[in-house]
Amino acid sequence: MARGELRIHLGAAPGVGKTYTMLEEAHRRAERGADVVIALVETHGRKHTAAMVGDLEVVPRREMTYRGAAFTEMDLDAVLARRPEIAVVDELAHTNVPGSRNTKRWQDVQELLDAGISVLTTVNVQHLESLNDVVARITGADQRETVPDAVVRAAEQVELVDMTPEALRRRMAHGNIYRPEKIDAALGNYFRTGNLTALRELALLWLADKVEDQLGKYRADNAIDATWETRERVVVALTGGPEGDTLIRRAARIAARTRGSDLLAVHVTRNDGLAGADPARLARQRLLVESLGGTYHQVTGADIPQALLDFARGVNATQIVLGASRRGRFAQILSAGVGVTTIARSGTIDVHLVTHEGANRGRRRGPLPAALSRSRRIAGFGTALLGLPLLVLLLRAGPALSLTNDILLFLVAVVMVALIGGLWPALLAAVGGSLALNWFFTPPYGRFTIAEGQNLLALAIFVLVAIAVSWVVDTAARKTRQAAQASADAQTLATVAGSVLRGERPLIALLDRLRETFALDSVTLLEDGAVVAGVGQPRCERPADADIEVKADDNVLVLIKGRTLQASDRRIVEAFAAQAAVALKQERLAGEAATARPLAAADKLRTALLAAVSHDLRTPLASAKASVAGLRSRDVQFDEDDREELLATADESLDRLGRLVANLLDMSRLQAGALGVTPADVGAEEVVPRALDDLGPAGRTVTVHVPDDLPMLHTDPGLLERVLVNLVGNALRYSPPGRPPVITGSSHGDTVELRVIDHGPGIPADRWDDVFLPFQRLGDRDNHTGVGLGLALSRGLTEAMGGTLTPEETPGGGLTMIVSLPTRSS
């Protein structure tokens, strides 16, 4: 069975017309003969949207009851049974009512797609998981309903339903989105022009990335290698040389000329495994690229220009930035170089050759490392000096051989010398062997002359072959040694990276690993001349105290004491130092983040408090004021029953207001650590009835099973009463008719447990921790009272009294809150 296709109508904000556009598309497909049904459409009371449903077939919704209230959801089984060609499903990010087969509506849609049913749906940009926190920072409103980006990216079609902020605000002002009483608040908060502009840009950029993915897939599927200039992508090639900073900044300026362009830095590593670039300089250049908003990449290749162009074409680059060659003019005559070769092969990609201070000045190469050890070179010279005379004696004493055989034996001797001592001993053996062949075995004998041309050719070939073999052997030995050094360096850096990532303090871990790796006495990090961190003893307080000074950044130095390092080791130390500078910045950022986290939490708490209190303080206050104003009015005559009802309303509203203010004050005291707790010995059977009396008539419906012989509690009676009032009030709110809450008490060692049991819909176990967060009201579709402080305050008060408050599932359904408190003897 073929999987259905998903078409998503993406909007930047509510009211842009996603549902309307989706229904238009549904009508178009129905007119073309497709079997289209409406599985679920939310009109939100918008008459134009409701009218667009028209004569399309509508699958009846499934009715569900949750916490005593009725809800409707899409009837997934009915849609699957109907098996239309296309189903219209609104609000992809919607969270289904608990008890539904799937938690989220997008999971329902996946089932429809798996069944071969195509789906038309809608989603707002604020519901995309990757943008959820960004939208929250922009608008100040948290969106709890999200859909994974992968679900939306997997859609065959994503259409942006766009509208300018000004047009959307006009639509809002005309009452086409929200009810009249919500318009002013919406225009002054979420629907501000700046918010809508930012959301629109987010939607456009996200969709651009989606389109880019589709374009990349199309190019890959059709094997298209040519550059399509859909977006400027600037690739800067880094060699690890000192010109890298200049190239990066130049490439960044080129990329900045076009909005939305990308900056990519790439370093091509030779595939022979030999280290050619400075790892410390590359690390610093990587940081520079990332600080300018670019990305760093590393590829491997034998042909550097081709590897660079392959990378550029793979990312659909439009421009490449290269540094002018550092080689001298004579070297450029012999070889075109990377820059010229890249330009010749670049095709439609523009290549910029950027000059710099080191251009055309020649490469400053250090002395080549010796291929073999000193002892092996001495052995090679000894073999040449002793072996050649011995070979001459053996050939002179034995039966006479042809010149060809003599040359072959001398060639074997030269190869043996090359294998033992390398290039220079082999060259000595080649020269000495040619002279010996000329003197002893080439007519006329005893003279350095050659009578026959064939013998001259044979000796010349011998010399050339001997030199070539010596050079190959020496080069192979040198490459082997370099590869071993590069492998050891890579292993060291990999070990360092692993130790840093696993450590809680990466800077100290890095310095300590450096000290252990090179057996140093101490490693010290200085910033602006002041010691920041160090390991080992004795530490260096200034550069003059150090054996080695390595610059890690513009103002960061690493001082090493203990021994002098070789040049090859120093390169690795410089890489360590560069990473130490990075680790220092990371620790600073982590410290700043830790400092900012409490401030962010406090700011979030204040925002939630204002949002909740703006409604929940005003509601009881408005009710009380309206009742008192009615009683004072001289225009209306109330009978006794009306007066009693108004007084009761005012009294109840003021009680609610008093409880709310008390909860807020207690929560603020808890968070400030200023809540006073006065423990005393009290019986649970005394506190429970007082708590139920505070709840009024509703409290008398609660069933109580608290034995009189429970041990005495050592707690604050007033705070315990407050905890029970909140817990029982919450249980009463969600208990079904005819099944009131139950309070039980039991003793367990040094603690007494009071259980508040309800038989309501309960809360999933993975959400238990959420109910204790301030200003959280789970399942608040039917709950618009209270600011969500009750359970958070109850846990805080319980813990302040030395106890615990934990949730538990009620057998048969519901939620049980367990208050555990210490007894008098504990």
Side-chain angles (χ1 to χ4, degrees):
M1 180 189 303
R3 179 178 168 86
E5 293 187 355
L6 179 62
R7 180 187 177 104
I8 296 176
H9 296 80
L10 175 68
V16 295
K18 300 181 304 300
T19 304
Y20 191 93
T21 305
M22 176 182 64
L23 290 172
E24 284 185 327
E25 177 66 20
H27 278 288
R28 280 194 294 270
R29 298 199 182 192
E31 291 170 0
R32 293 196 295 264
D35 180 17
V36 182
V37 303
I38 294 180
L40 186 140
V41 165
E42 298 287 0
T43 64
H44 299 291
R46 299 164 190 166
K47 59 182 181 180
H48 298 296
T49 304
M52 273 302 298
V53 174
D55 57 355
L56 292 175
E57 179 184 347
V58 179
V59 177
R61 300 190 186 192
R62 183 164 60 98
E63 295 186 357
M64 300 180 65
T65 301
Y66 178 66
R67 293 187 172 179
F71 299 94
T72 60
E73 292 286 3
M74 179 178 70
D75 194 335
L76 178 60
D77 292 328
V79 179
L80 290 171
R82 169 66 174 74
R83 294 194 62 78
E85 185 179 347
I86 300 171
V88 178
V89 183
D90 207 359
E91 297 186 358
L92 184 64
H94 169 79
T95 301
N96 292 329
V97 173
S100 302
R101 177 160 57 188
N102 295 312
T103 304
K104 307 287 289 188
R105 186 167 291 164
W106 64 264
Q107 295 170 323
D108 295 337
V109 168
Q110 293 297 315
E111 288 199 32
L112 295 177
L113 296 173
D114 291 339
I117 302 172
S118 296
V119 176
L120 305 179
T121 187
T122 64
V123 71
N124 278 332
V125 69
Q126 67 262 30
H127 297 300
L128 296 174
E129 185 67 49
S130 64
L131 299 178
N132 184 257
D133 57 336
V134 179
V135 174
R137 287 195 295 270
I138 293 172
T139 64
D142 290 329
Q143 298 289 339
R144 298 184 185 176
E145 294 187 329
T146 60
V147 59
D149 287 48
V151 174
V152 183
R153 288 189 181 278
E156 283 72 19
Q157 299 179 63
V158 178
E159 177 184 345
L160 179 65
V161 183
D162 193 26
M163 179 174 286
T164 65
E166 294 77 14
L168 185 57
R169 284 173 59 84
R170 283 197 301 270
R171 178 180 287 185
M172 171 70 74
H174 292 160
N176 294 328
I177 301 177
Y178 289 163
R179 293 192 301 272
E181 62 271 18
K182 292 186 176 182
I183 293 176
D184 290 341
L187 290 174
N189 291 281
Y190 194 91
F191 284 81
R192 292 196 299 268
T193 301
N195 288 357
L196 296 177
T197 302
L199 293 175
R200 189 185 187 202
E201 183 175 11
L202 284 176
L204 290 168
L205 290 175
W206 191 94
L207 188 61
D209 288 339
K210 161 70 175 175
V211 173
E212 184 66 29
D213 292 343
Q214 290 178 323
L215 178 60
K217 183 177 184 302
Y218 176 82
R219 285 165 52 85
D221 292 343
N222 292 274
I224 298 174
D225 294 329
T227 299
W228 288 7
E229 298 181 11
T230 55
R231 180 191 294 188
E232 287 289 348
R233 285 184 176 82
V234 182
V235 172
V236 52
L238 302 179
T239 64
E243 76 281 358
D245 292 0
T246 302
L247 300 182
I248 292 170
R249 292 188 174 94
R250 177 63 173 158
R253 289 196 296 272
I254 294 174
R257 293 171 184 168
T258 305
R259 185 173 179 83
S261 60
D262 295 331
L263 173 64
L264 303 93
V266 60
H267 171 66
V268 181
T269 304
R270 296 188 329 218
N271 62 0
D272 56 9
L274 303 180
D278 185 343
R281 188 174 283 124
L282 278 177
R284 289 193 292 269
Q285 291 170 0
R286 176 174 186 168
L287 287 176
L288 178 59
V289 169
E290 293 173 348
S291 70
L292 293 173
T295 57
Y296 178 85
H297 308 267
Q298 189 160 326
V299 297
T300 302
D303 186 344
I304 292 179
Q306 191 60 47
L308 175 61
L309 288 169
D310 288 343
F311 172 81
R313 293 190 178 104
V315 298
N316 200 24
T318 57
Q319 303 186 61
I320 297 176
V321 176
L322 290 167
S325 178
R326 285 182 288 153
R327 300 178 307 147
R329 296 190 181 279
F330 181 73
Q332 294 183 43
I333 294 174
L334 297 178
S335 173
V338 173
V340 175
T341 306
T342 302
I343 293 173
R345 301 178 186 176
S346 63
T348 58
I349 303 177
D350 296 336
V351 179
H352 303 263
L353 276 181
V354 179
T355 187
H356 51 86
E357 293 181 356
N360 300 321
R361 294 189 177 183
R363 295 181 181 270
R364 295 182 179 180
R365 296 185 180 273
L368 290 175
L372 300 173
S373 64
R374 180 184 178 86
S375 60
R376 285 191 60 177
R377 293 198 301 274
I378 293 175
F381 281 115
T383 303
L385 294 175
L386 297 177
L388 292 180
L390 180 60
L391 178 59
V392 170
L393 291 176
L394 290 176
L395 291 176
R396 299 279 290 180
L401 300 176
S402 66
L403 179 60
T404 302
N405 291 329
D406 293 335
I407 289 175
L408 290 176
L409 289 174
F410 271 89
L411 184 60
V412 170
V414 172
V415 171
M416 292 181 60
V417 171
L419 292 174
I420 296 173
L423 176 62
W424 296 109
L427 290 178
L428 174 64
V431 173
S434 63
L435 294 176
L437 285 169
N438 190 357
W439 183 272
F440 293 105
F441 304 103
T442 304
Y445 303 109
R447 296 172 59 187
F448 289 112
T449 57
I450 302 173
E452 299 181 10
Q454 291 182 352
N455 293 340
L456 177 63
L457 177 62
L459 285 175
I461 292 175
F462 163 75
V463 173
L464 291 176
V465 171
I467 293 175
V469 170
S470 304
W471 179 264
V472 169
V473 171
D474 185 78
T475 302
R478 180 177 289 107
K479 295 291 187 183
T480 300
R481 190 167 186 178
Q482 290 177 352
Q485 181 65 40
S487 177
D489 293 347
Q491 183 64 34
T492 300
L493 292 174
T495 303
V496 169
S499 64
V500 170
L501 290 174
R502 289 189 295 270
E504 292 183 0
R505 298 189 61 191
L507 178 58
I508 296 299
L510 187 66
L511 297 180
D512 194 52
R513 177 62 64 177
L514 174 59
R515 184 180 63 84
E516 291 180 359
T517 301
F518 295 101
L520 304 171
D521 292 338
S522 68
V523 180
T524 309
L525 186 76
L526 271 64
E527 184 180 30
D528 294 327
V531 176
V532 176
V535 294
Q537 292 295 335
R539 296 185 186 177
C540 303
E541 299 294 333
R542 57 188 182 276
D545 299 334
D547 294 328
I548 298 178
E549 172 189 337
V550 179
K551 186 175 182 180
D553 205 347
D554 293 337
N555 57 343
V556 178
L557 291 176
V558 174
L559 305 181
I560 294 173
K561 192 172 184 62
R563 67 185 181 93
T564 302
L565 300 176
Q566 298 179 2
S568 58
D569 291 338
R570 187 181 178 91
R571 295 179 66 231
I572 301 302
V573 171
E574 290 175 351
F576 270 74
Q579 293 301 318
V582 175
L584 177 61
K585 293 179 180 178
Q586 289 177 338
E587 286 198 1
R588 294 265 172 82
L589 290 174
E592 293 174 2
T595 303
R597 197 173 295 117
L599 298 177
D603 184 66
K604 184 176 181 181
L605 190 66
R606 285 193 296 270
T607 302
L609 174 63
L610 290 173
V613 170
S614 63
H615 173 269
D616 293 293
L617 274 178
R618 188 164 44 196
T619 300
L621 189 61
S623 297
K625 182 174 178 59
S627 299
V628 173
L631 290 172
R632 294 187 60 190
S633 176
R634 298 180 180 180
D635 298 332
V636 181
Q637 297 296 324
F638 295 102
D639 57 24
E640 192 61 28
D641 291 339
D642 292 336
R643 291 176 61 83
E644 288 296 329
E645 184 178 351
L646 289 173
L647 288 172
T649 300
D651 184 58
E652 181 182 351
S653 298
L654 291 173
D655 284 343
R656 282 179 54 197
L657 188 62
R659 287 195 297 269
L660 178 59
V661 172
N663 281 344
L664 289 171
L665 290 174
D666 283 344
M667 179 57 72
S668 65
R669 292 192 189 101
L670 274 174
Q671 292 180 337
L675 181 68
V677 179
T678 307
D681 295 336
V682 64
E685 70 280 0
E686 301 175 20
V687 180
V688 172
R690 292 203 297 266
L692 297 180
D693 289 341
D694 290 344
L695 292 169
R700 291 192 285 274
T701 65
V702 178
T703 304
V704 179
H705 297 297
V706 178
D708 295 337
D709 57 351
L710 286 178
M712 297 289 286
L713 296 171
H714 188 68
T715 189
D716 188 314
L719 295 184
L720 177 56
E721 184 178 333
R722 293 287 304 282
V723 170
L724 292 174
V725 167
N726 282 331
L727 295 180
V728 176
N730 195 67
L732 284 166
R733 184 179 300 118
Y734 299 116
S735 292
R739 300 196 69 183
V742 178
I743 300 178
T744 66
S746 59
S747 175
H748 301 275
D750 294 336
T751 62
V752 168
E753 287 187 355
L754 297 176
R755 294 171 174 258
V756 179
I757 305 167
D758 72 61
H759 299 282
I763 297 174
D766 59 350
R767 302 295 305 276
W768 283 352
D769 289 338
D770 295 344
V771 301
F772 295 108
L773 296 176
F775 312 111
Q776 302 295 315
R777 294 180 292 186
L778 300 188
D780 59 357
R781 298 185 184 203
D782 59 334
N783 175 25
H784 298 285
T785 62
V787 294
L789 275 178
L791 292 179
L793 178 60
S794 297
R795 170 170 276 188
L797 294 177
T798 304
E799 292 176 350
M801 294 184 289
T804 60
L805 175 60
T806 54
E808 182 180 88
E809 185 178 359
T810 301
L815 188 67
T816 298
M817 288 292 181
I818 306 172
V819 181
S820 299
L821 292 168
T823 62
R824 178 172 57 183
S825 59
S826 60

